[in-house]
Amino acid sequence: MNAGNAGAMTAWTITPEHVDSPVAAALWRDYYTEVSDRWYLLHEGRRTDPVELEREIAARAGERLTPPRGLLLVARYEGAPAGSAGVRLLDAATAELTRVFLLPGVRGRGGAALLVAAAEDSARALGATRMILDTRGDLVEARALYARLGYAETEPHNDDRYADHWFAKDLG
């Protein structure tokens, strides 16, 4: 998927990426560091312990985001890796959106909506008719994005200790 910003010479490109690639690993580290630090700063007044960070990164490897039941998408801005989104099929009709992330320097340039749209297209290609996701209360930007893109808040669909907001969208 390619998309350009109106009136700008810059372009977004979104393509599948293998979860074990160096690009995916770097984006996953940036993602996890940011969301983990935000949680710990809010709840414990500290940043993530480096040992814990490494343990969690290893424990949350992207094996669920591999074909034939999943996919990791990487967004590039002006050719440079800039963000990611993951999709995994939970059952024949339901896909989960996960790891939606953009590097801070490219936020506000339309990439998040493009990533989510590409993830929705990927979920449809996997056969899904519904997309679900979870997020946290402190990730206010994410909650606003999902609401703007037509996701409705729902009852919990998992028991993730870090999730306190759940969303769903009909992909039909």
Side-chain angles (χ1 to χ4, degrees):
M1 172 179 194
N2 290 323
N5 292 335
M9 306 241 342
T10 58
W12 286 97
T13 308
I14 300 171
T15 57
E17 184 83 23
H18 193 278
V19 296
D20 291 332
S21 77
V23 167
L27 287 168
W28 175 230
R29 178 172 300 285
D30 289 338
Y31 164 83
Y32 190 78
T33 299
E34 181 174 331
V35 297
S36 181
D37 280 353
R38 282 178 76 163
W39 191 90
Y40 278 111
L41 286 168
L42 179 66
H43 296 282
E44 297 183 12
R46 66 174 178 89
R47 295 196 178 278
T48 310
D49 176 89
V51 172
E52 180 182 2
L53 180 66
E54 293 306 317
R55 184 177 60 242
E56 287 299 314
I57 289 171
R60 295 180 180 257
E63 73 279 348
R64 301 176 311 158
L65 302 178
T66 57
R69 297 188 56 82
L71 182 68
L72 177 66
L73 298 169
V74 167
R76 287 177 171 76
Y77 185 75
E78 296 183 340
S84 65
V87 175
R88 72 180 182 122
L89 201 56
L90 299 178
D91 60 42
T94 307
E96 179 182 33
L97 178 63
T98 185
R99 296 188 191 180
V100 177
F101 173 74
L102 286 177
L103 294 171
V106 297
R107 292 178 186 161
R109 298 178 187 183
L114 293 173
L115 260 173
V116 172
E120 290 170 355
D121 289 345
S122 297
R124 284 185 198 95
L126 291 170
T129 57
R130 182 173 182 250
M131 183 84 87
I132 62 172
L133 64 93
D134 64 63
T135 191
R136 300 190 325 233
D138 63 305
L139 299 176
V140 294
E141 305 90 345
R143 291 187 4 248
L145 171 72
Y146 300 133
R148 190 176 81 242
L149 297 177
Y151 286 80
E153 198 147 356
T154 66
E155 293 297 316
H157 59 259
N158 64 27
D159 60 0
D160 185 322
R161 74 176 249 192
Y162 296 110
D164 47 22
H165 292 272
W166 295 263
F167 290 83
K169 181 178 180 179
D170 179 9
L171 298 178

